[in-house]
Amino acid sequence: MSRIVVHGLEKSYGDARVLERVNVTAEAGEFLSLVGASGCGKSTFLRILLGQEQQSGGVVVVDDGPIVPEPTPQRGIVFQRYSVFPHLTALQNLLLVEDFRSGGPFGRVFGARRRNARQVAEAMLERVGLAHARDLYPASLSGGMQQRLAIAQTLLGRPQILLLDEPFGALDPGIRVEMHELLTELWTEHGMTVVMVTHDIGEAFKLGTRVLVFDKVRHDPQFPSAYGATITYDLKLDRKNRASSLEVAKVAAMVGTARPDSAIATTASQRRP
Amino acid sequence: MNAVSKAGGEGTHSSPPRPKVRLRMINAKVSRGGALFLGGLPFLFVAIAYLIASAQRLAVNPSDKLLPSPVQMWSAFLDLATVPDKRSGDLILWVDTYASLVRLFAGVGVATLVALSLGIAIGFIPRVRAFLLPFVTVVCVIPPLALLPILFIALGLGETAKITLIAIGVAPVMVRDIANRVMELPSELVAKAQTLGGNSWTMILRLVLPQVMPRLITCVRLALGPAWLFLIAAEAIASTEGLGYRIFLVRRYLSMDVILPYVAWITLLAVITDWLLVRLSQAMSPWAHPVEAK
Ligand SMILES: Nc1ncnc2c1ncn2[C@@H]1O[C@H](COP(=O)(O)OP(=O)(O)OP(=O)(O)O)[C@@H](O)[C@H]1O
Ligand SMILES: [Mg+2]
């Protein structure tokens, strides 16, 4: 629902440059998949879009203004870990969204509004298949259940931009496929702009409408951190058709995946909505 | 395959077959009864050693005061607990206990409130951290007992000085610990709370406060040790009642038959407080105390 324009983005930590010359425009409602070698700066890029960190140079524009330099409800996030609040049960985690949004100085809604929020939260729990776990604390949920809860919580915040940092990285293949379906459904329903970081090339092609590869183009053998990564490949996918295995293989080679064929297989076996 | 499943099936019905290997020391588990027995041994050992030493001394000199027999101690203790004092008409043990506990809990209570508010502010708000953390760090290294004379001069010999000593003695460390805990909160959680619409204040209420609660209670448990120390020191120097005052008073008459039961009584009070705090933490933050698998 929001357009993101990134122009000439740079990020350095001290002497080490992580990102440089990053230019990309994401139209409202696009689903961007970010892939790239480990440590090339994908999470850093996402944290900048979130407002948790600030760029060292360049501009990021969201809709019509420069990005607000702190996290706001406009942008939702699901991290790989630490994505739900461990001191709240599944239901309380979802209620917290309404509590924060309109709970005033107590950070809690009362009365009819609480009952309403409860209904919405319970419907959402049902939706992500956690109805039976509503009163459990995250510590007693499996990794997949925690991520489902995190996604549900983030979506209840109705963000215009959804940022996902390897949200399914720790899940087994079966649950991953379930999560893909859930995410695709919710995205079709809400139509937010999605930026997802993943190490799974198949997942990138299956879910995204666009695949971006982050990589370093310049190298200094004496000082490896002198140059940062940038977007080296930007592939728009036609919604109707699947990506060709050639393209998948090409991206897999860029990222350095050991077995491009497995990535192709995952992609080929899935039908895009 | 078959054999394995059979063996497994049997295992669930009768007791699992015990492998005849010697486990490493670090892996050998202790049963409940075994733990009780092992845990009781040191107590038993100390008690027996005392009984033998006491019996020997009393055999040589029946009026020996250094190692009184359990009977002597019990009767001295019972006197203090049930027989009104000749001069004041008070039941001394209860008056002492009440006075000491009020001081202790007032001091630790004040310290806890200070630690909670300052600790959260320092840990969560960068400006407050820049303002107060260096100061708190310096205050932490002042030996509180060195401040005792100053407190007595400034605040008089009354309750305020004693309570203040306890509070000043334990608060700085607690403040630092709570601040550290808040700074250790995963930045992901704080970022997420902001994306859900939390502001600084509501995040303190709904995220920081519940997350530091278990640590705060741990802090109080650890602070109670030093708090007793400061309490007894303050009472020893200037007081007219209190457990510490009594011990130092009867020391003049070498009344070990009073001192030893008092020390045991203080220990008992400390153990009960500690146990209550553990239960409180379990009740307030069940998420931080996952049920252990049996
Ligand atoms: N706070 C920081 N201070 C210093 N260096 C940092 C910091 N955060 C990240 N880096 C560096 O930036 C680089 C990129 O990190 P980032 O986490 O963005 O990589 P990534 O692409 O997400 O990797 P992965 O795929 O393994 O998650 C790394 O080399 C890392 O060492
Ligand atoms: Mg990362």
Side-chain angles (χ1 to χ4, degrees):
Chain A
M1 282 187 278
S2 279
R3 190 164 179 263
I4 309 169
V5 180
V6 175
H7 184 76
L9 180 89
E10 267 187 41
K11 178 72 190 177
S12 311
Y13 292 107
D15 278 346
R17 174 158 300 182
V18 178
L19 294 171
E20 61 181 19
R21 294 187 282 180
V22 178
N23 298 303
V24 61
T25 301
E27 296 302 332
E30 267 194 309
F31 193 132
L32 270 56
S33 297
L34 265 50
V35 296
S38 191
C40 74
K42 305 177 300 291
S43 299
T44 306
F45 181 66
L46 220 59
R47 283 199 298 271
I48 292 173
L49 290 185
L50 176 64
Q52 197 186 358
E53 267 176 43
Q54 274 67 54
Q55 68 268 33
S56 320
V59 282
V60 181
V61 174
V62 175
D63 284 331
D64 296 324
I67 190 172
V68 184
E70 63 175 0
T72 65
Q74 182 193 33
R75 291 158 276 162
I77 178 99
V78 176
F79 296 103
Q80 184 174 358
R81 299 165 58 222
Y82 298 123
S83 262
V84 287
F85 298 98
H87 62 283
L88 297 173
T89 64
L91 182 68
Q92 287 167 344
N93 258 289
L94 297 192
L95 281 174
L96 184 69
V97 180
E98 187 62 22
D99 281 343
F100 269 145
R101 181 161 44 212
S102 42
F106 297 109
R108 186 181 279 274
V109 289
F110 297 99
R113 276 157 92 195
R114 185 154 205 90
R115 282 194 294 279
N116 260 341
R118 211 186 161 86
Q119 270 175 10
V120 174
E122 281 182 351
M124 191 51 140
L125 278 180
E126 191 84 44
R127 178 75 193 279
V128 296
L130 289 177
H132 61 287
R134 45 172 275 176
D135 294 322
L136 295 182
Y137 287 102
S140 27
L141 300 179
S142 73
M145 291 160 89
Q146 285 186 32
Q147 284 312 77
R148 271 184 275 170
L149 183 62
I151 291 173
Q153 187 183 42
T154 303
L155 287 174
L156 278 182
R158 297 195 289 268
Q160 293 166 11
I161 298 171
L162 177 59
L163 306 170
L164 306 167
D165 194 353
E166 300 180 37
F168 316 128
L171 309 184
D172 75 62
I175 295 177
R176 232 175 229 238
V177 172
E178 274 175 37
M179 298 294 288
H180 290 167
E181 281 160 14
L182 176 70
L183 180 60
T184 311
E185 262 176 53
L186 294 168
W187 172 61
T188 328
E189 211 172 283
H190 295 254
M192 62 277 187
T193 314
V194 182
V195 183
M196 177 181 75
V197 171
T198 177
H199 276 290
D200 180 341
I201 310 289
E203 184 175 275
F205 275 90
K206 178 184 165 192
L207 298 176
T209 57
R210 199 167 157 192
V211 175
L212 303 176
V213 180
F214 275 67
D215 203 359
K216 287 187 183 185
V217 281
R218 303 190 285 173
H219 290 277
D220 182 341
Q222 256 70 52
F223 185 41
S225 56
Y227 299 114
T230 185
I231 296 175
T232 55
Y233 193 63
D234 180 348
L235 178 67
K236 285 208 166 68
L237 301 172
D238 194 330
R239 284 210 187 192
K240 300 277 150 34
N241 304 315
R242 287 180 239 138
S244 78
S245 7
L246 196 70
E247 282 162 344
V248 179
K250 200 166 149 192
V251 169
M254 284 177 172
V255 178
T257 304
R259 293 174 302 153
D261 17 320
S262 72
I264 297 168
T266 346
T267 321
S269 63
Q270 312 295 337
R271 203 150 301 220
R272 301 185 51 74
Chain B
M1 186 68 209
N2 228 336
V4 170
S5 63
K6 233 184 203 167
E10 272 170 13
T12 54
H13 289 301
S14 60
S15 69
R18 221 173 257 191
K20 286 212 184 65
V21 276
R22 264 186 81 87
L23 295 177
R24 286 186 190 85
M25 274 207 277
I26 56 161
N27 291 327
K29 296 274 184 303
V30 183
S31 70
R32 254 189 111 91
L36 224 64
F37 172 72
L38 284 178
L41 270 186
F43 293 98
L44 201 67
F45 180 75
V46 171
I48 291 177
Y50 181 88
L51 286 179
I52 293 174
S54 160
Q56 277 176 353
R57 278 190 81 104
L58 288 172
V60 177
N61 174 11
S63 62
D64 178 70
K65 299 193 84 171
L66 226 51
L67 298 179
S69 72
V71 180
Q72 289 170 321
M73 288 194 279
W74 178 246
S75 77
F77 187 69
L78 224 53
D79 270 3
L80 290 170
T82 55
V83 180
D85 183 50
K86 276 171 225 120
R87 251 175 294 156
S88 60
D90 292 332
L91 295 175
I92 286 180
L93 176 74
W94 305 114
V95 171
D96 284 345
T97 305
Y98 177 76
S100 287
L101 286 185
V102 167
R103 288 167 193 149
L104 187 78
F105 291 143
V108 174
V110 169
T112 306
L113 287 182
V114 170
L116 196 59
S117 39
L118 273 189
I120 288 180
I122 290 175
F124 207 45
I125 303 168
R127 251 179 228 159
V128 180
R129 188 181 317 150
F131 176 51
L132 285 178
L133 192 56
F135 181 72
V136 171
T137 312
V138 169
V139 170
C140 265
V141 297
I142 302 176
L145 284 180
L147 295 178
L148 190 55
I150 304 177
L151 292 176
F152 279 144
I153 293 170
L155 301 171
L157 298 180
E159 297 302 291
T160 328
K162 294 178 201 102
I163 294 173
T164 312
L165 174 71
I166 296 172
I168 290 186
V170 298
V173 181
M174 291 173 78
V175 171
R176 255 176 43 161
D177 203 38
I178 295 298
N180 274 335
R181 173 75 187 92
V182 175
M183 287 189 273
E184 278 165 16
L185 280 181
S187 62
E188 285 92 341
L189 285 187
V190 180
K192 174 116 192 199
Q194 295 176 72
T195 66
L196 298 180
N199 59 35
S200 301
W201 171 244
T202 51
M203 279 193 291
I204 286 178
L205 279 187
R206 298 301 312 272
L207 170 63
V208 180
L209 204 55
Q211 291 262 345
V212 299
M213 221 52 211
R215 179 69 153 263
L216 182 74
I217 293 181
T218 308
C219 265
V220 174
R221 287 176 62 196
L222 293 176
L224 275 166
W228 275 104
L229 166 71
F230 299 132
L231 173 76
I232 291 173
E235 286 180 344
I237 293 173
S239 199
T240 50
E241 77 285 284
L243 298 167
Y245 160 76
R246 193 70 50 199
I247 292 179
F248 276 82
L249 180 75
V250 299
R251 181 191 65 96
R252 291 181 214 155
Y253 319 113
L254 285 179
S255 295
M256 286 294 264
D257 55 341
V258 173
I259 296 179
L260 287 177
Y262 256 60
V263 172
W265 177 242
I266 291 173
T267 310
L268 182 70
L269 291 176
V271 168
I272 292 175
T273 323
D274 192 64
W275 181 81
L276 285 176
L277 284 168
V278 174
R279 298 305 303 267
L280 181 70
S281 182
Q282 285 167 347
M284 284 179 75
S285 318
W287 58 275
H289 305 272
V291 187
E292 272 181 42
K294 288 239 173 96

